[in-house]
Amino acid sequence: LKVEWAFCGQRHPTPGLVCKEFGYCGQNAYLEEWFKNYEGRWLGDYEWMPAQWDEALTKLAAIVSSSIFMSRADMLICGGPAWFCSMLRSIWLVPMLMYFAWPIASLVPAGFKTHVFAQIRALGQTVSPPTVIVVANWILAAQFALQIHMRVEVQRPHGIYTNATYSPVPAATGKPRVMVTRIGVWARVSGVALLETIWSFMDEHGRRTGDAFPLELVFLSIRIRGTDTNQPLSYKDFSFFHACIFWPWDVMMLLFNELYTMTVPLLLPERAWMVRLMAHAIQHTPMNWWHLREHAVAGSLPQAFGPKFPLPYKPWFEHQTMGLEALSYWYELTDFMQFPHLTYFESLPDMLEKLRTLDVPRVRRGMRSYNSHTLRDSMEFYRQAAAELLQP
């Protein structure tokens, strides 16, 4: 089977990255400008909705109709946002696979969400041309079930495109290097306190044992004490680390899946600690855990008949009614808890001890096995999906 493909659209996290890392170097300047104008934000609401919907749709139709490649395409894969997939389908009748890693109506103004929900539900029911909807995690699947009353398939991101595998390179001191993910992003100013506290525990280890801590920790996305780790890293750079201390700050974090695919050992805070961090972030800050924030995610289509939502909690954080038990319920369904062969720590001293005693070969064997069988399952699903979408 010969497949000709083209990639269009996404500029995040930096222009040109998909060309440099993945080889998707085709450009459509008109479409990129369209995305910049209508999809170029990550917080708040789209101010142009709904008043400029028709204008955006007309411009998109003109761009698509001018593309020779699009005119010949047999199938379309749309990675969201959901409102864009529905808009695209309304002007381009072609079989479509939609893969969502974001909530259905994130950033959509509250008064327009029902419109988007209705369009995605209608898309999921089309048979001519057909549509297949896939989501990246179980929390999204729960949101789809409550918001548009549909069951959707869950398939993990595999990150095979990284073309990198675990190849640790020690620091100049000879110590294995461990990356600590982006505390400057999720913890902001308090990330400095976390960093200083970890360093103090490492110093205390040296005073107690007479030996320096045997691993070198590299804190990403910080600028302190003459250290600047804000520069972007390639997947190959990530593969050079001995292990990764991973602090989740949203339901879906693609770097986690990519590192898991590379079989870089991952250490995370245990569940009770993470749930408290989630509750504090959602209740007291405007940052992080956007996929569970009520104002960004909540809403659903009215339903005249049919079964009620079967789960005990709504799949977002309701400030007035939701407590730690509900957050714990949803956190349990994230990849950070569902994936096997992860290492959890209960405190910063415990984190350092788990790092020091980590059985890397055993952990990586388990990760390879899980990668293998989940990839096999995903390949079988996508073969069936392609057959359904491309059948005469």
Side-chain angles (χ1 to χ4, degrees):
L1 177 65
K2 182 180 179 181
V3 178
E4 184 181 355
W5 49 262
F7 175 88
C8 300
Q10 184 64 279
R11 297 169 292 106
H12 180 74
T14 182
L17 183 66
V18 293
C19 177
K20 178 182 177 182
E21 289 289 345
F22 311 140
Y24 300 152
C25 298
Q27 287 186 305
N28 185 319
Y30 299 107
L31 188 58
E32 290 183 8
E33 183 66 18
W34 189 95
F35 271 100
K36 182 179 178 181
N37 291 334
Y38 294 105
E39 199 245 353
R41 69 181 307 159
W42 310 105
L43 295 173
D45 291 342
Y46 292 117
E47 296 173 353
W48 60 271
M49 291 184 183
Q52 298 177 48
W53 181 272
D54 290 349
E55 174 188 309
L57 184 64
T58 301
K59 290 180 178 178
L60 182 62
I63 293 168
V64 171
S65 66
S66 68
S67 169
I68 296 175
F69 182 89
M70 291 183 187
S71 70
R72 296 188 290 108
D74 298 302
M75 187 177 81
L76 169 67
I77 299 174
C78 185
W83 61 263
F84 171 73
C85 295
S86 69
M87 184 181 279
L88 192 58
R89 181 56 175 273
S90 70
I91 62 168
W92 187 10
L93 292 178
V94 64
M96 178 186 290
L97 186 145
M98 296 190 291
Y99 187 93
F100 293 131
W102 278 72
I104 300 174
S106 180
L107 308 186
V108 174
F112 198 57
K113 285 187 176 184
T114 300
H115 174 83
V116 174
F117 292 145
Q119 289 203 342
I120 297 303
R121 177 174 171 81
L123 263 181
Q125 296 173 318
T126 59
V127 294
S128 181
T131 303
V132 174
I133 299 177
V134 190
V135 297
N137 59 68
W138 292 105
I139 293 176
L140 282 175
Q143 290 176 353
F144 270 70
L146 177 59
Q147 295 178 315
I148 64 172
H149 317 300
M150 290 188 67
R151 178 190 176 277
V152 294
E153 187 72 26
V154 179
Q155 290 292 332
R156 62 162 285 201
H158 287 278
I160 300 171
Y161 51 78
T162 64
N163 290 320
T165 192
Y166 184 76
S167 307
V169 176
T173 60
K175 295 180 180 181
R177 297 182 310 141
V178 176
M179 66 171 152
V180 184
T181 56
R182 308 195 186 287
I183 60 172
V185 175
W186 71 265
R188 300 286 163 161
V189 177
S190 60
V192 176
L194 176 64
L195 180 151
E196 295 282 4
T197 303
I198 292 173
W199 276 344
S200 69
F201 280 123
M202 294 171 67
D203 291 341
E204 196 275 333
H205 172 276
R207 290 192 299 271
R208 188 180 70 251
T209 64
D211 295 316
F213 191 72
L215 297 101
E216 180 176 305
L217 271 58
V218 179
F219 296 83
L220 302 186
S221 298
I222 63 163
R223 189 179 291 111
I224 187 173
R225 295 191 188 181
T227 298
D228 185 352
T229 57
N230 280 299
Q231 70 275 13
L233 298 178
S234 68
Y235 292 118
K236 187 175 182 180
D237 294 329
F238 284 129
S239 73
F240 291 159
F241 287 95
H242 169 77
C244 173
I245 299 170
F246 198 96
W247 296 83
W249 42 276
D250 209 345
V251 167
M252 172 68 199
M253 304 205 65
L254 192 53
L255 179 59
F256 173 86
N257 289 272
E258 291 165 342
L259 292 173
Y260 199 101
T261 295
M262 295 182 209
T263 66
V264 176
L266 291 152
L267 297 87
L268 299 89
E270 52 87 26
R271 182 173 61 177
W273 191 357
M274 278 306 312
V275 169
R276 291 194 295 272
L277 288 175
M278 292 167 66
H280 176 81
I282 294 173
Q283 291 176 314
H284 301 293
T285 79
M287 300 301 298
N288 308 329
W289 300 101
W290 291 283
H291 293 194
L292 287 176
R293 289 184 179 266
E294 183 178 16
H295 73 274
V297 178
S300 63
L301 283 175
Q303 187 176 23
F305 304 103
K308 293 183 178 180
F309 186 62
L311 302 180
Y313 308 104
K314 290 183 179 179
W316 50 76
F317 188 90
E318 295 183 304
H319 281 268
Q320 302 302 319
T321 60
M322 183 175 280
L324 295 180
E325 182 179 346
L327 273 182
S328 181
Y329 177 89
W330 291 116
Y331 186 70
E332 182 68 29
L333 292 176
T334 64
D335 292 346
F336 316 124
M337 294 299 298
Q338 291 292 309
F339 280 28
H341 313 294
L342 303 172
T343 301
Y344 300 100
F345 53 87
E346 298 178 355
S347 64
L348 297 182
D350 185 48
M351 177 191 78
L352 296 176
E353 181 61 18
K354 294 284 177 59
L355 264 180
R356 192 182 63 82
T357 59
L358 186 64
D359 186 346
V360 171
R362 179 186 62 79
V363 169
R364 293 191 62 237
R365 282 196 300 272
M367 296 172 86
R368 280 196 301 269
S369 175
Y370 185 70
N371 284 334
S372 177
H373 90 251
T374 54
L375 179 60
R376 186 167 57 249
D377 291 346
S378 292
M379 291 295 289
E380 178 59 27
F381 167 78
Y382 287 119
R383 286 191 190 99
Q384 294 179 4
E388 176 183 339
L389 291 169
L390 297 174
Q391 63 182 345

